[in-house]
Amino acid sequence: MAGYVSDAVIRRLPGYYRHLKELEREGVMQISSQGLGDRMHLTASQIRQDINCFGGFGRQGYGYSVPELREHIARILGVDQPHQMIIIGSGNIGRAVACSDSFPANGFETTAIFDRDPDKIGMQVDAMIVQDIANVKRFINEHPADIAVLAIPAEEAQAMADTLYALGIKGFWNFAPCDLKLEADAAVVNVHLDEGLQVLSFRMLHQQA
Amino acid sequence: MAGYVSDAVIRRLPGYYRHLKELEREGVMQISSQGLGDRMHLTASQIRQDINCFGGFGRQGYGYSVPELREHIARILGVDQPHQMIIIGSGNIGRAVACSDSFPANGFETTAIFDRDPDKIGMQVDAMIVQDIANVKRFINEHPADIAVLAIPAEEAQAMADTLYALGIKGFWNFAPCDLKLEADAAVVNVHLDEGLQVLSFRMLHQQA
């Protein structure tokens, strides 16, 4: 990829990936920047800029090969390789992530779910049994994982992230309503659901979609 | 508020709100832009710019009153008023939203959950019974709601949004992996969980947090 990519472009990448997969399913093998832009509510020039930015290709007057561009974006996103996730916290969010079909379908497989609450340890969630968080080190040693889903209270999230980082986990999908401080070689994506609702409330009030 | 506010600033507003609430709980009544910036991993000048942008106040060398700024931001976000939500879809995500304590604690109260699957209608979710989506019109007439949580498959989301818009719902919290086309006076926030995971994968691969 061509050097630094802005956060806005990175956030659009999964949208490209989704639309290209849909196009492929619909049997569309070739698409122009105009056609892709119409579909994604972006201008043709934005599309060309974005795709240039992540080192894309395409020929003037010919457009993009849908499967090639889809594969290219999959490689950039790193979703051409499988990921193993462990879920920390077996509350509503942890269980919802564990039970989803769409994450494994996209290459993100959940291998275990942990809790520290004795009432929850041993409970069945999807095809898994909730394990004692005290055993997380042994589990990771035996079953390497690269992503931890933090579905625990804010007060516990930083210490848990530190523990898991020391065990080799480098990716954190953080549902706790707090900001994590992580080492430079760790990555985090926050899903602050409360904050999304507040943004919705703002947009409703100010009609600024 | 002072005219158009950029999307980046809007997305930071809930973070301000969260930190100001935490400060208030900690008993901090006054804070400088430097102090708030340190806490939020922003520079003092970014803080001042943001707060100016949403018509904030504060005096040179004195800083901001934490409760006043918190109330001001609550009004901008529209979270000083309660919101009523209905949930469409009683799968994992719909149930997780229904069972969360934090949405009602922040003024977003779920009043009903609907499904079209006869196996799910009548099921208990938190303190609610899953209702038949066929009855949504009657329910909304009797219990006005302003937000719909779309926790249904992508293929059904647009038609459902259109139906609910016609019934007066103007806010859509969309968990379906698709982009909704809405009228100008409707607002949407998408929670594309799959896409968040792909962004995490990207960051892990490129070490660009």
Side-chain angles (χ1 to χ4, degrees):
Chain A
M1 208 173 38
Y4 180 81
V5 177
S6 79
D7 201 52
V9 175
I10 296 168
R11 286 182 184 283
R12 280 201 291 276
L13 273 169
Y16 279 98
Y17 188 56
R18 171 163 53 87
H19 282 281
L20 289 163
K21 280 196 292 186
E22 285 172 9
L23 284 165
E24 231 178 334
R25 267 200 300 275
E26 295 165 13
V28 179
M29 289 296 134
Q30 205 76 23
I31 196 161
S32 64
S33 47
Q34 183 68 53
L36 196 52
D38 288 349
R39 199 176 166 110
M40 294 183 65
H41 311 295
L42 294 169
T43 66
S45 120
Q46 276 177 306
I47 298 278
R48 284 192 297 268
Q49 247 180 341
D50 280 359
I51 294 181
N52 278 338
C53 178
F54 42 83
F57 34 92
R59 290 204 307 272
Q60 192 75 36
Y62 180 77
Y64 302 101
S65 153
V66 170
E68 278 179 39
L69 188 55
R70 199 257 307 136
E71 276 171 38
H72 182 67
I73 291 177
R75 274 194 303 275
I76 293 174
L77 285 170
V79 296
D80 57 331
Q81 305 289 329
H83 292 277
Q84 281 76 39
M85 305 199 292
I86 60 171
I87 300 174
I88 314 298
S90 66
N92 300 313
I93 294 287
R95 289 202 305 272
V97 172
C99 294
S100 163
D101 298 328
S102 77
F103 308 132
N106 283 299
F108 296 86
E109 196 203 350
T110 298
T111 56
I113 180 164
F114 294 90
D115 209 299
R116 64 174 176 75
D117 179 349
D119 289 344
K120 290 182 175 159
I121 296 165
M123 192 175 70
Q124 175 124 14
V125 173
D126 201 50
M128 294 174 293
I129 300 292
V130 177
Q131 298 184 55
D132 188 338
I133 189 66
N135 299 329
V136 71
K137 182 177 177 177
R138 195 172 59 200
F139 180 88
I140 292 175
N141 284 340
E142 288 168 9
H143 309 87
D146 57 353
I147 294 175
V149 182
L150 301 180
I152 53 180
E155 314 79 79
E156 300 170 25
Q158 183 65 52
M160 182 55 66
D162 293 340
T163 301
L164 295 171
Y165 177 81
L167 297 174
I169 301 270
K170 296 289 172 69
F172 294 90
W173 202 23
N174 176 40
F175 286 80
C178 63
D179 305 316
L180 299 175
K181 284 186 204 87
L182 295 169
E183 300 295 327
D185 66 341
V188 64
V189 163
N190 293 308
V191 187
H192 291 166
L193 290 173
D194 284 311
E195 302 195 357
L197 258 184
Q198 291 171 15
V199 169
L200 179 59
S201 168
F202 174 93
R203 289 183 183 165
M204 290 167 72
L205 191 61
H206 301 276
Q207 301 300 356
Q208 187 183 302
Chain B
M1 206 174 36
Y4 180 82
V5 178
S6 79
D7 200 54
V9 175
I10 296 168
R11 287 183 182 281
R12 280 200 292 275
L13 273 169
Y16 278 98
Y17 188 57
R18 170 162 55 86
H19 282 283
L20 290 163
K21 281 196 294 186
E22 285 172 10
L23 284 165
E24 230 177 335
R25 267 201 300 274
E26 295 164 15
V28 179
M29 288 296 135
Q30 204 77 24
I31 196 161
S32 65
S33 46
Q34 184 68 53
L36 196 52
D38 287 350
R39 200 177 165 108
M40 294 183 66
H41 312 296
L42 294 169
T43 66
S45 121
Q46 277 178 304
I47 297 277
R48 285 192 297 268
Q49 247 179 340
D50 279 358
I51 294 180
N52 278 337
C53 177
F54 43 82
F57 32 91
R59 290 203 308 272
Q60 192 74 37
Y62 180 77
Y64 302 100
S65 153
V66 170
E68 277 178 41
L69 189 55
R70 199 256 308 136
E71 276 172 38
H72 182 67
I73 291 177
R75 275 194 303 275
I76 293 175
L77 284 171
V79 297
D80 56 332
Q81 305 290 330
H83 293 275
Q84 283 75 39
M85 304 199 291
I86 58 170
I87 300 174
I88 315 296
S90 66
N92 300 314
I93 294 287
R95 289 202 305 274
V97 172
C99 295
S100 164
D101 298 329
S102 76
F103 308 132
N106 283 299
F108 296 86
E109 196 204 348
T110 298
T111 56
I113 180 165
F114 294 90
D115 209 299
R116 65 174 175 76
D117 179 350
D119 289 345
K120 291 181 174 159
I121 296 166
M123 194 174 69
Q124 175 125 13
V125 172
D126 202 50
M128 294 174 292
I129 299 291
V130 177
Q131 300 184 52
D132 189 337
I133 188 66
N135 298 329
V136 71
K137 183 178 176 175
R138 194 171 62 201
F139 181 88
I140 293 175
N141 284 340
E142 288 167 9
H143 310 87
D146 58 353
I147 294 176
V149 182
L150 301 180
I152 53 180
E155 313 79 79
E156 299 168 27
Q158 183 65 53
M160 182 55 67
D162 293 339
T163 300
L164 296 171
Y165 177 81
L167 297 174
I169 303 270
K170 295 291 172 67
F172 295 90
W173 203 23
N174 176 40
F175 286 80
C178 63
D179 305 316
L180 298 176
K181 283 185 203 88
L182 295 169
E183 300 296 325
D185 66 341
V188 64
V189 163
N190 293 308
V191 188
H192 290 166
L193 292 173
D194 284 310
E195 302 196 358
L197 259 185
Q198 290 170 15
V199 169
L200 179 59
S201 168
F202 175 93
R203 289 183 181 164
M204 291 167 72
L205 191 61
H206 301 275
Q207 301 301 357
Q208 188 182 300

mmCIF file of all heavy atoms in Angstrom, chain A residues 24-64:
data_model
loop_
_atom_site.group_PDB
_atom_site.id
_atom_site.type_symbol
_atom_site.label_atom_id
_atom_site.label_comp_id
_atom_site.label_asym_id
_atom_site.label_seq_id
_atom_site.Cartn_x
_atom_site.Cartn_y
_atom_site.Cartn_z
ATOM 1 N N GLU A 24 -19.918 -9.071 -6.878
ATOM 2 C CA GLU A 24 -19.475 -10.385 -7.348
ATOM 3 C C GLU A 24 -20.620 -11.402 -7.268
ATOM 4 O O GLU A 24 -20.831 -12.185 -8.187
ATOM 5 C CB GLU A 24 -18.288 -10.855 -6.495
ATOM 6 C CG GLU A 24 -17.114 -11.306 -7.342
ATOM 7 C CD GLU A 24 -15.921 -11.716 -6.499
ATOM 8 O OE1 GLU A 24 -15.806 -11.201 -5.352
ATOM 9 O OE2 GLU A 24 -15.120 -12.538 -6.970
ATOM 10 N N ARG A 25 -21.351 -11.342 -6.144
ATOM 11 C CA ARG A 25 -22.496 -12.248 -5.994
ATOM 12 C C ARG A 25 -23.542 -11.995 -7.075
ATOM 13 O O ARG A 25 -24.206 -12.913 -7.528
ATOM 14 C CB ARG A 25 -23.164 -12.053 -4.623
ATOM 15 C CG ARG A 25 -22.641 -12.990 -3.554
ATOM 16 C CD ARG A 25 -23.634 -13.110 -2.377
ATOM 17 N NE ARG A 25 -23.888 -11.832 -1.721
ATOM 18 C CZ ARG A 25 -23.121 -11.308 -0.755
ATOM 19 N NH1 ARG A 25 -22.070 -11.971 -0.319
ATOM 20 N NH2 ARG A 25 -23.426 -10.149 -0.224
ATOM 21 N N GLU A 26 -23.677 -10.720 -7.466
ATOM 22 C CA GLU A 26 -24.651 -10.369 -8.509
ATOM 23 C C GLU A 26 -24.111 -10.691 -9.905
ATOM 24 O O GLU A 26 -24.807 -10.481 -10.897
ATOM 25 C CB GLU A 26 -24.985 -8.863 -8.425
ATOM 26 C CG GLU A 26 -25.698 -8.470 -7.133
ATOM 27 C CD GLU A 26 -25.685 -6.955 -6.892
ATOM 28 O OE1 GLU A 26 -25.356 -6.189 -7.825
ATOM 29 O OE2 GLU A 26 -25.990 -6.539 -5.755
ATOM 30 N N GLY A 27 -22.861 -11.158 -9.996
ATOM 31 C CA GLY A 27 -22.283 -11.534 -11.285
ATOM 32 C C GLY A 27 -21.641 -10.384 -12.045
ATOM 33 O O GLY A 27 -21.310 -10.526 -13.221
ATOM 34 N N VAL A 28 -21.469 -9.225 -11.385
ATOM 35 C CA VAL A 28 -20.828 -8.072 -12.041
ATOM 36 C C VAL A 28 -19.313 -8.242 -11.924
ATOM 37 O O VAL A 28 -18.784 -8.342 -10.823
ATOM 38 C CB VAL A 28 -21.270 -6.746 -11.374
ATOM 39 C CG1 VAL A 28 -20.581 -5.554 -12.035
ATOM 40 C CG2 VAL A 28 -22.781 -6.602 -11.426
ATOM 41 N N MET A 29 -18.622 -8.301 -13.046
ATOM 42 C CA MET A 29 -17.192 -8.593 -13.024
ATOM 43 C C MET A 29 -16.331 -7.353 -13.249
ATOM 44 O O MET A 29 -15.130 -7.348 -12.988
ATOM 45 C CB MET A 29 -16.860 -9.652 -14.101
ATOM 46 C CG MET A 29 -17.380 -11.039 -13.743
ATOM 47 S SD MET A 29 -16.550 -11.684 -12.237
ATOM 48 C CE MET A 29 -17.956 -12.302 -11.309
ATOM 49 N N GLN A 30 -16.961 -6.304 -13.764
ATOM 50 C CA GLN A 30 -16.220 -5.102 -14.141
ATOM 51 C C GLN A 30 -17.063 -3.914 -13.726
ATOM 52 O O GLN A 30 -18.286 -3.937 -13.921
ATOM 53 C CB GLN A 30 -16.092 -5.133 -15.677
ATOM 54 C CG GLN A 30 -14.932 -4.378 -16.231
ATOM 55 C CD GLN A 30 -13.622 -5.132 -16.038
ATOM 56 O OE1 GLN A 30 -13.623 -6.357 -15.881
ATOM 57 N NE2 GLN A 30 -12.525 -4.414 -15.994
ATOM 58 N N ILE A 31 -16.448 -2.884 -13.149
ATOM 59 C CA ILE A 31 -17.265 -1.714 -12.791
ATOM 60 C C ILE A 31 -16.434 -0.429 -12.939
ATOM 61 O O ILE A 31 -15.229 -0.422 -12.700
ATOM 62 C CB ILE A 31 -17.872 -1.840 -11.371
ATOM 63 C CG1 ILE A 31 -19.009 -0.811 -11.191
ATOM 64 C CG2 ILE A 31 -16.808 -1.716 -10.283
ATOM 65 C CD1 ILE A 31 -19.961 -1.113 -10.050
ATOM 66 N N SER A 32 -17.102 0.629 -13.346
ATOM 67 C CA SER A 32 -16.442 1.930 -13.503
ATOM 68 C C SER A 32 -16.439 2.650 -12.153
ATOM 69 O O SER A 32 -17.211 2.310 -11.250
ATOM 70 C CB SER A 32 -17.197 2.770 -14.526
ATOM 71 O OG SER A 32 -18.500 3.053 -14.044
ATOM 72 N N SER A 33 -15.596 3.663 -12.029
ATOM 73 C CA SER A 33 -15.593 4.453 -10.792
ATOM 74 C C SER A 33 -16.955 5.129 -10.618
ATOM 75 O O SER A 33 -17.451 5.262 -9.500
ATOM 76 C CB SER A 33 -14.454 5.473 -10.798
ATOM 77 O OG SER A 33 -14.407 6.158 -12.025
ATOM 78 N N GLN A 34 -17.580 5.524 -11.740
ATOM 79 C CA GLN A 34 -18.910 6.145 -11.671
ATOM 80 C C GLN A 34 -19.930 5.148 -11.105
ATOM 81 O O GLN A 34 -20.709 5.473 -10.207
ATOM 82 C CB GLN A 34 -19.329 6.597 -13.078
ATOM 83 C CG GLN A 34 -20.669 7.323 -13.114
ATOM 84 C CD GLN A 34 -20.598 8.686 -12.413
ATOM 85 O OE1 GLN A 34 -19.737 9.496 -12.735
ATOM 86 N NE2 GLN A 34 -21.481 8.915 -11.446
ATOM 87 N N GLY A 35 -19.895 3.914 -11.618
ATOM 88 C CA GLY A 35 -20.854 2.891 -11.185
ATOM 89 C C GLY A 35 -20.680 2.552 -9.709
ATOM 90 O O GLY A 35 -21.656 2.444 -8.953
ATOM 91 N N LEU A 36 -19.420 2.422 -9.293
ATOM 92 C CA LEU A 36 -19.148 2.098 -7.897
ATOM 93 C C LEU A 36 -19.541 3.280 -7.008
ATOM 94 O O LEU A 36 -20.103 3.105 -5.920
ATOM 95 C CB LEU A 36 -17.653 1.759 -7.744
ATOM 96 C CG LEU A 36 -17.197 1.045 -6.474
ATOM 97 C CD1 LEU A 36 -18.011 -0.206 -6.198
ATOM 98 C CD2 LEU A 36 -15.710 0.681 -6.585
ATOM 99 N N GLY A 37 -19.268 4.500 -7.500
ATOM 100 C CA GLY A 37 -19.616 5.705 -6.745
ATOM 101 C C GLY A 37 -21.127 5.820 -6.542
ATOM 102 O O GLY A 37 -21.585 6.111 -5.435
ATOM 103 N N ASP A 38 -21.904 5.587 -7.610
ATOM 104 C CA ASP A 38 -23.373 5.663 -7.497
ATOM 105 C C ASP A 38 -23.844 4.723 -6.402
ATOM 106 O O ASP A 38 -24.706 5.052 -5.588
ATOM 107 C CB ASP A 38 -24.039 5.264 -8.822
ATOM 108 C CG ASP A 38 -23.841 6.339 -9.892
ATOM 109 O OD1 ASP A 38 -23.377 7.447 -9.538
ATOM 110 O OD2 ASP A 38 -24.131 6.053 -11.069
ATOM 111 N N ARG A 39 -23.267 3.543 -6.402
ATOM 112 C CA ARG A 39 -23.676 2.517 -5.454
ATOM 113 C C ARG A 39 -23.310 2.883 -4.016
ATOM 114 O O ARG A 39 -24.030 2.563 -3.081
ATOM 115 C CB ARG A 39 -22.947 1.235 -5.854
ATOM 116 C CG ARG A 39 -23.558 0.004 -5.307
ATOM 117 C CD ARG A 39 -22.828 -1.209 -5.826
ATOM 118 N NE ARG A 39 -23.242 -2.311 -5.016
ATOM 119 C CZ ARG A 39 -24.013 -3.298 -5.443
ATOM 120 N NH1 ARG A 39 -24.417 -3.346 -6.677
ATOM 121 N NH2 ARG A 39 -24.377 -4.255 -4.613
ATOM 122 N N MET A 40 -22.172 3.541 -3.870
ATOM 123 C CA MET A 40 -21.660 3.834 -2.527
ATOM 124 C C MET A 40 -21.949 5.265 -2.078
ATOM 125 O O MET A 40 -21.458 5.701 -1.035
ATOM 126 C CB MET A 40 -20.153 3.557 -2.463
ATOM 127 C CG MET A 40 -19.815 2.088 -2.640
ATOM 128 S SD MET A 40 -18.025 1.758 -2.477
ATOM 129 C CE MET A 40 -17.732 2.173 -0.754
ATOM 130 N N HIS A 41 -22.729 5.989 -2.866
ATOM 131 C CA HIS A 41 -23.039 7.393 -2.569
ATOM 132 C C HIS A 41 -21.763 8.233 -2.442
ATOM 133 O O HIS A 41 -21.613 9.043 -1.533
ATOM 134 C CB HIS A 41 -23.888 7.525 -1.286
ATOM 135 C CG HIS A 41 -25.063 6.603 -1.262
ATOM 136 N ND1 HIS A 41 -26.110 6.701 -2.146
ATOM 137 C CD2 HIS A 41 -25.353 5.524 -0.483
ATOM 138 C CE1 HIS A 41 -26.996 5.739 -1.901
ATOM 139 N NE2 HIS A 41 -26.553 5.001 -0.898
ATOM 140 N N LEU A 42 -20.808 7.969 -3.335
ATOM 141 C CA LEU A 42 -19.576 8.760 -3.409
ATOM 142 C C LEU A 42 -19.433 9.225 -4.866
ATOM 143 O O LEU A 42 -20.044 8.642 -5.760
ATOM 144 C CB LEU A 42 -18.356 7.904 -3.027
ATOM 145 C CG LEU A 42 -18.264 7.394 -1.581
ATOM 146 C CD1 LEU A 42 -17.151 6.362 -1.446
ATOM 147 C CD2 LEU A 42 -18.009 8.563 -0.625
ATOM 148 N N THR A 43 -18.624 10.254 -5.090
ATOM 149 C CA THR A 43 -18.404 10.671 -6.475
ATOM 150 C C THR A 43 -17.361 9.767 -7.128
ATOM 151 O O THR A 43 -16.545 9.130 -6.441
ATOM 152 C CB THR A 43 -17.903 12.133 -6.555
ATOM 153 O OG1 THR A 43 -16.602 12.191 -5.970
ATOM 154 C CG2 THR A 43 -18.839 13.083 -5.818
ATOM 155 N N ALA A 44 -17.398 9.736 -8.467
ATOM 156 C CA ALA A 44 -16.425 8.930 -9.221
ATOM 157 C C ALA A 44 -15.003 9.370 -8.867
ATOM 158 O O ALA A 44 -14.095 8.543 -8.762
ATOM 159 C CB ALA A 44 -16.685 9.062 -10.719
ATOM 160 N N SER A 45 -14.827 10.649 -8.653
ATOM 161 C CA SER A 45 -13.471 11.144 -8.384
ATOM 162 C C SER A 45 -13.008 10.717 -6.982
ATOM 163 O O SER A 45 -11.830 10.381 -6.779
ATOM 164 C CB SER A 45 -13.413 12.665 -8.603
ATOM 165 O OG SER A 45 -13.051 13.355 -7.445
ATOM 166 N N GLN A 46 -13.937 10.682 -6.012
ATOM 167 C CA GLN A 46 -13.579 10.156 -4.675
ATOM 168 C C GLN A 46 -13.150 8.694 -4.770
ATOM 169 O O GLN A 46 -12.200 8.258 -4.122
ATOM 170 C CB GLN A 46 -14.771 10.261 -3.720
ATOM 171 C CG GLN A 46 -14.916 11.628 -3.056
ATOM 172 C CD GLN A 46 -16.163 11.669 -2.178
ATOM 173 O OE1 GLN A 46 -17.261 11.358 -2.653
ATOM 174 N NE2 GLN A 46 -15.998 12.041 -0.922
ATOM 175 N N ILE A 47 -13.912 7.933 -5.561
ATOM 176 C CA ILE A 47 -13.602 6.508 -5.727
ATOM 177 C C ILE A 47 -12.191 6.339 -6.301
ATOM 178 O O ILE A 47 -11.377 5.573 -5.773
ATOM 179 C CB ILE A 47 -14.636 5.848 -6.684
ATOM 180 C CG1 ILE A 47 -16.049 5.920 -6.110
ATOM 181 C CG2 ILE A 47 -14.223 4.413 -7.040
ATOM 182 C CD1 ILE A 47 -16.407 4.865 -5.113
ATOM 183 N N ARG A 48 -11.897 7.112 -7.360
ATOM 184 C CA ARG A 48 -10.570 6.991 -7.992
ATOM 185 C C ARG A 48 -9.467 7.385 -7.007
ATOM 186 O O ARG A 48 -8.439 6.719 -6.916
ATOM 187 C CB ARG A 48 -10.511 7.848 -9.257
ATOM 188 C CG ARG A 48 -11.249 7.216 -10.441
ATOM 189 C CD ARG A 48 -10.932 7.936 -11.750
ATOM 190 N NE ARG A 48 -11.379 9.326 -11.734
ATOM 191 C CZ ARG A 48 -12.575 9.740 -12.169
ATOM 192 N NH1 ARG A 48 -13.444 8.874 -12.650
ATOM 193 N NH2 ARG A 48 -12.898 11.017 -12.121
ATOM 194 N N GLN A 49 -9.729 8.455 -6.256
ATOM 195 C CA GLN A 49 -8.751 8.907 -5.262
ATOM 196 C C GLN A 49 -8.491 7.828 -4.210
ATOM 197 O O GLN A 49 -7.353 7.520 -3.888
ATOM 198 C CB GLN A 49 -9.302 10.139 -4.546
ATOM 199 C CG GLN A 49 -8.528 11.402 -4.824
ATOM 200 C CD GLN A 49 -9.145 12.582 -4.086
ATOM 201 O OE1 GLN A 49 -10.311 12.525 -3.673
ATOM 202 N NE2 GLN A 49 -8.381 13.638 -3.930
ATOM 203 N N ASP A 50 -9.587 7.284 -3.648
ATOM 204 C CA ASP A 50 -9.455 6.242 -2.623
ATOM 205 C C ASP A 50 -8.655 5.069 -3.161
ATOM 206 O O ASP A 50 -7.735 4.575 -2.511
ATOM 207 C CB ASP A 50 -10.841 5.716 -2.197
ATOM 208 C CG ASP A 50 -11.536 6.632 -1.196
ATOM 209 O OD1 ASP A 50 -10.943 7.662 -0.824
ATOM 210 O OD2 ASP A 50 -12.676 6.313 -0.806
ATOM 211 N N ILE A 51 -9.034 4.607 -4.340
ATOM 212 C CA ILE A 51 -8.423 3.376 -4.862
ATOM 213 C C ILE A 51 -6.962 3.628 -5.216
ATOM 214 O O ILE A 51 -6.103 2.785 -4.966
ATOM 215 C CB ILE A 51 -9.258 2.809 -6.042
ATOM 216 C CG1 ILE A 51 -10.624 2.348 -5.493
ATOM 217 C CG2 ILE A 51 -8.533 1.639 -6.717
ATOM 218 C CD1 ILE A 51 -11.571 1.750 -6.515
ATOM 219 N N ASN A 52 -6.655 4.821 -5.722
ATOM 220 C CA ASN A 52 -5.243 5.182 -5.922
ATOM 221 C C ASN A 52 -4.497 5.136 -4.611
ATOM 222 O O ASN A 52 -3.375 4.652 -4.522
ATOM 223 C CB ASN A 52 -5.113 6.590 -6.500
ATOM 224 C CG ASN A 52 -5.299 6.582 -8.003
ATOM 225 O OD1 ASN A 52 -5.126 5.548 -8.648
ATOM 226 N ND2 ASN A 52 -5.686 7.721 -8.540
ATOM 227 N N CYS A 53 -5.156 5.648 -3.583
ATOM 228 C CA CYS A 53 -4.547 5.791 -2.270
ATOM 229 C C CYS A 53 -4.129 4.437 -1.707
ATOM 230 O O CYS A 53 -3.088 4.305 -1.094
ATOM 231 C CB CYS A 53 -5.549 6.484 -1.360
ATOM 232 S SG CYS A 53 -4.984 6.692 0.292
ATOM 233 N N PHE A 54 -4.929 3.407 -1.907
ATOM 234 C CA PHE A 54 -4.482 2.092 -1.432
ATOM 235 C C PHE A 54 -3.862 1.257 -2.559
ATOM 236 O O PHE A 54 -3.911 0.041 -2.558
ATOM 237 C CB PHE A 54 -5.526 1.326 -0.623
ATOM 238 C CG PHE A 54 -6.949 1.349 -1.099
ATOM 239 C CD1 PHE A 54 -7.384 0.473 -2.084
ATOM 240 C CD2 PHE A 54 -7.863 2.213 -0.524
ATOM 241 C CE1 PHE A 54 -8.705 0.463 -2.493
ATOM 242 C CE2 PHE A 54 -9.184 2.217 -0.945
ATOM 243 C CZ PHE A 54 -9.602 1.345 -1.920
ATOM 244 N N GLY A 55 -3.229 1.972 -3.498
ATOM 245 C CA GLY A 55 -2.392 1.302 -4.498
ATOM 246 C C GLY A 55 -3.188 0.482 -5.492
ATOM 247 O O GLY A 55 -2.733 -0.541 -5.996
ATOM 248 N N GLY A 56 -4.400 0.925 -5.763
ATOM 249 C CA GLY A 56 -5.272 0.179 -6.665
ATOM 250 C C GLY A 56 -4.905 0.402 -8.101
ATOM 251 O O GLY A 56 -3.964 1.113 -8.423
ATOM 252 N N PHE A 57 -5.692 -0.205 -8.938
ATOM 253 C CA PHE A 57 -5.405 -0.220 -10.368
ATOM 254 C C PHE A 57 -6.695 0.073 -11.101
ATOM 255 O O PHE A 57 -7.650 0.575 -10.533
ATOM 256 C CB PHE A 57 -4.832 -1.582 -10.742
ATOM 257 C CG PHE A 57 -5.431 -2.675 -9.920
ATOM 258 C CD1 PHE A 57 -6.545 -3.373 -10.352
ATOM 259 C CD2 PHE A 57 -4.917 -2.964 -8.634
ATOM 260 C CE1 PHE A 57 -7.111 -4.360 -9.564
ATOM 261 C CE2 PHE A 57 -5.495 -3.951 -7.846
ATOM 262 C CZ PHE A 57 -6.584 -4.647 -8.313
ATOM 263 N N GLY A 58 -6.761 -0.224 -12.332
ATOM 264 C CA GLY A 58 -7.919 0.150 -13.138
ATOM 265 C C GLY A 58 -7.404 0.904 -14.331
ATOM 266 O O GLY A 58 -6.389 1.596 -14.246
ATOM 267 N N ARG A 59 -8.075 0.760 -15.474
ATOM 268 C CA ARG A 59 -7.593 1.414 -16.689
ATOM 269 C C ARG A 59 -8.614 2.435 -17.166
ATOM 270 O O ARG A 59 -9.822 2.196 -17.117
ATOM 271 C CB ARG A 59 -7.339 0.373 -17.781
ATOM 272 C CG ARG A 59 -6.147 -0.520 -17.479
ATOM 273 C CD ARG A 59 -5.534 -1.129 -18.744
ATOM 274 N NE ARG A 59 -6.539 -1.809 -19.571
ATOM 275 C CZ ARG A 59 -6.889 -3.093 -19.430
ATOM 276 N NH1 ARG A 59 -6.353 -3.839 -18.493
ATOM 277 N NH2 ARG A 59 -7.781 -3.639 -20.234
ATOM 278 N N GLN A 60 -8.116 3.588 -17.590
ATOM 279 C CA GLN A 60 -8.960 4.668 -18.105
ATOM 280 C C GLN A 60 -9.994 4.100 -19.094
ATOM 281 O O GLN A 60 -9.631 3.391 -20.027
ATOM 282 C CB GLN A 60 -8.054 5.698 -18.804
ATOM 283 C CG GLN A 60 -8.737 7.016 -19.139
ATOM 284 C CD GLN A 60 -8.919 7.876 -17.882
ATOM 285 O OE1 GLN A 60 -8.061 7.882 -17.007
ATOM 286 N NE2 GLN A 60 -10.035 8.569 -17.790
ATOM 287 N N GLY A 61 -11.253 4.408 -18.842
ATOM 288 C CA GLY A 61 -12.305 4.006 -19.776
ATOM 289 C C GLY A 61 -12.652 2.528 -19.705
ATOM 290 O O GLY A 61 -13.458 2.026 -20.489
ATOM 291 N N TYR A 62 -12.063 1.827 -18.744
ATOM 292 C CA TYR A 62 -12.264 0.378 -18.686
ATOM 293 C C TYR A 62 -12.820 0.002 -17.319
ATOM 294 O O TYR A 62 -13.670 -0.870 -17.183
ATOM 295 C CB TYR A 62 -10.912 -0.302 -18.924
ATOM 296 C CG TYR A 62 -10.947 -1.807 -18.890
ATOM 297 C CD1 TYR A 62 -11.447 -2.538 -19.967
ATOM 298 C CD2 TYR A 62 -10.451 -2.494 -17.780
ATOM 299 C CE1 TYR A 62 -11.471 -3.923 -19.935
ATOM 300 C CE2 TYR A 62 -10.469 -3.881 -17.741
ATOM 301 C CZ TYR A 62 -10.974 -4.584 -18.817
ATOM 302 O OH TYR A 62 -10.990 -5.955 -18.773
ATOM 303 N N GLY A 63 -12.363 0.710 -16.305
ATOM 304 C CA GLY A 63 -12.876 0.471 -14.959
ATOM 305 C C GLY A 63 -12.063 -0.566 -14.217
ATOM 306 O O GLY A 63 -10.917 -0.843 -14.555
ATOM 307 N N TYR A 64 -12.685 -1.112 -13.174
ATOM 308 C CA TYR A 64 -11.990 -2.022 -12.271
ATOM 309 C C TYR A 64 -12.524 -3.440 -12.439
ATOM 310 O O TYR A 64 -13.725 -3.647 -12.636
ATOM 311 C CB TYR A 64 -12.204 -1.589 -10.824
ATOM 312 C CG TYR A 64 -11.739 -0.171 -10.563
ATOM 313 C CD1 TYR A 64 -12.649 0.876 -10.505
ATOM 314 C CD2 TYR A 64 -10.390 0.103 -10.392
ATOM 315 C CE1 TYR A 64 -12.224 2.177 -10.280
ATOM 316 C CE2 TYR A 64 -9.954 1.395 -10.169
ATOM 317 C CZ TYR A 64 -10.872 2.429 -10.108
ATOM 318 O OH TYR A 64 -10.448 3.706 -9.905
#
